[in-house]
Amino acid sequence: MQELESRNEAALAAIAAAQTPDELEAMRVEALGKQGWITLALKTLGGMSPDERQVAGPRIQGIRAAVSDALAARKQVLEDALLEQRLASETLDLTLPAPAAPRGSVHPVSQVMDELAEIFADLGFSVATGPEIEDDWHNFTALNMAETHPARAMHDTFYFPDADSDGRKMLLRTHTSPVQIRSMVAQGAPIRIIAPGRVYRSDSDATHTPMFHQVEGLVIDRDIHLGHLKWTLETFLKGFFERDDIVLRLRPSYFPFTEPSVEVDVGWQDVKGRRVLGGDGDAPGHGWMELLGSGMVNRKVIEFAGLDPDEWQGFAFGVGVDRLAMLKYGMDDLRAFFDGDNRWLAHYGFSAFDQPTLSAGVGARA
Ligand code: PHE
């Protein structure tokens, strides 16, 4: 016992003098490790008579507690000192300029969406959103595509295995048009919204990816006609491409949710009236780029959304955001949009400080 007491005193002194965590750890193993002197001393208790044990037990336990408390206390002191040292050496000079290397950029898709929001805000449109996981009532039925409608098959829809609690099939929305329904149901009429967002179709090549982006536009009011649609699209595209020589070609088309439906191609012409987009001038069938689908909202859709189609009319359009970005900023492979390649992002990305504004130009380059 006497020997243990003096070892204890020596150990406590050594612990108090330890200079590094490594030294402390060595001392812990020497005392409390499997072969440590305190561990071994505790083992001798088993061979003692009950009377001896009653005296020796508490003393050895006391030594064990004293040594481990001293280890913990010294460890804390050493760690505090280390932290103090680091805090003193690692100063942060807030007057230094930010490093150039890890600077991020705004993705062209985000940039184009910001540009569209800015252009349409100026025309009195607000931005609406809807869920990417939709039910088939909002994505199809309420847009005048009944269960058996052939147009459903054209959408290459990703379905979920389970229906929702109302028995509606769940899917990844194939277009932003369900936001038309949600907006009319939620806010009634009149309405002026755009709805940008992700859409999904099971389709993949250089110009199609399973996920892409659309912006929906919807205007519902009294006495709205096709002229309002044409003027709105023209104003939007001139603002977006930042040139006044944009010409539109409206072609009759078909969408179940618009009647009549109009597909819109865009072309540019030079001062002599020659079309220049696509570089094919007046070559037949060239110089026009199919850009968007649109039309007057089908009265059945207005009814599905709970409004009276004799009182409210309107137009809607849907346009591919990725395609708008490619046309304006000159990328040719859609797939690269979603590779997350830093070199591509550094080249085509925009500065976060460059907010698109109508006064400064909606598409200022980074
Ligand atoms: N939703 C259609 C599509 O994805 C586009 C569209 C929107 C057409 C609104 C007309 C009106 O192809």
Side-chain angles (χ1 to χ4, degrees):
M1 221 42 243
Q2 192 53 49
E3 193 197 323
L4 282 180
E5 299 287 5
S6 50
R7 263 199 110 151
N8 182 30
E9 267 166 44
L12 292 178
I15 288 169
Q19 290 304 313
T20 67
D22 285 350
E23 270 177 57
L24 266 189
E25 176 61 11
M27 290 173 192
R28 189 193 64 80
V29 172
E30 197 188 316
L32 300 164
K34 255 193 195 142
Q35 298 300 318
W37 56 272
I38 296 178
T39 311
L40 295 179
L42 283 166
K43 281 190 182 153
T44 64
L45 288 174
M48 291 181 189
S49 71
D51 283 350
E52 281 174 322
R53 195 183 306 134
Q54 203 143 56
V55 181
R59 288 178 73 181
I60 302 178
Q61 290 292 3
I63 289 173
R64 195 187 63 83
V67 169
S68 53
D69 285 353
L71 283 167
R74 185 64 188 162
K75 191 167 171 225
Q76 190 63 50
V77 168
L78 290 179
E79 281 174 358
D80 287 352
L82 263 174
L83 183 63
E84 283 301 326
Q85 223 177 11
R86 271 186 51 198
L87 288 174
S89 66
E90 291 179 8
T91 51
L92 184 61
D93 185 349
L94 294 173
T95 65
L96 288 175
R103 205 169 45 190
S105 61
V106 175
H107 196 283
V109 168
S110 305
Q111 171 74 19
V112 166
M113 284 181 172
D114 288 349
E115 293 175 20
L116 296 177
E118 175 69 14
I119 291 167
F120 279 103
D122 200 48
L123 302 176
F125 288 65
S126 55
V127 174
T129 55
E132 289 166 33
I133 297 175
E134 259 297 5
D135 57 68
D136 73 343
W137 189 81
H138 286 93
N139 195 82
F140 290 127
T141 311
L143 289 162
N144 195 31
M145 280 182 268
E147 195 97 30
T148 53
H149 199 289
R152 282 203 186 198
M154 286 162 33
H155 277 234
D156 302 312
T157 312
F158 290 112
Y159 282 99
F160 288 91
D162 299 320
D164 75 357
S165 52
D166 298 326
R168 289 171 180 174
K169 271 193 232 159
M170 299 303 286
L171 45 81
L172 291 174
R173 68 179 180 191
T174 57
H175 50 179
T176 43
S177 298
V179 186
Q180 289 186 34
I181 306 297
R182 290 186 175 276
S183 300
M184 284 189 266
V185 169
Q187 71 184 70
I191 288 188
R192 245 184 284 178
I193 52 132
I194 58 167
R198 296 191 180 98
V199 300
Y200 302 83
R201 290 182 201 177
S202 178
D203 202 354
S204 190
D205 59 39
T207 53
H208 297 89
T209 49
M211 185 281 298
F212 57 105
H213 300 84
Q214 286 188 335
V215 167
E216 194 81 6
L218 175 69
V219 169
I220 299 283
D221 211 324
R222 296 188 171 90
D223 304 322
I224 298 290
H225 56 72
L226 212 55
H228 295 121
L229 169 62
K230 183 165 187 264
W231 180 87
T232 303
L233 293 178
E234 235 164 47
T235 305
F236 144 49
L237 290 168
K238 283 179 179 171
F240 178 73
F241 287 110
E242 296 175 88
R243 44 193 298 171
D244 281 330
D245 53 354
I246 299 275
V247 284
L248 298 188
R249 183 169 70 175
L250 274 54
R251 281 181 293 113
S253 182
Y254 174 76
F255 299 102
F257 32 93
T258 47
E259 183 58 39
S261 299
V262 177
E263 225 150 347
V264 179
D265 304 333
V266 63
W268 289 319
Q269 51 193 12
D270 63 15
V271 282
K272 292 186 185 129
R274 290 176 303 208
R275 278 179 271 121
V276 294
L277 182 69
D280 287 304
D282 287 328
H286 292 275
W288 295 104
M289 181 65 129
E290 181 185 324
L291 204 58
L292 53 87
S294 65
M296 301 307 293
V297 180
N298 193 310
R299 48 184 296 129
K300 286 195 196 148
V301 172
I302 294 178
E303 257 167 29
F304 268 119
L307 298 176
D308 177 0
D310 288 326
E311 184 177 2
W312 303 104
Q313 303 80 41
F315 64 79
F317 57 89
V319 54
V321 175
D322 317 273
R323 167 164 303 188
L324 281 179
M326 290 169 87
L327 264 178
K328 182 166 175 181
Y329 296 115
M331 310 83 164
D332 54 11
D333 191 339
L334 178 62
R335 288 168 297 197
F337 274 58
F338 311 118
D339 283 345
D341 185 329
N342 261 330
R343 292 161 301 180
W344 190 92
L345 290 167
H347 183 77
Y348 288 113
F350 294 81
S351 163
F353 297 114
D354 252 347
Q355 286 293 318
T357 60
L358 286 176
S359 52
V362 286
R365 288 314 307 262

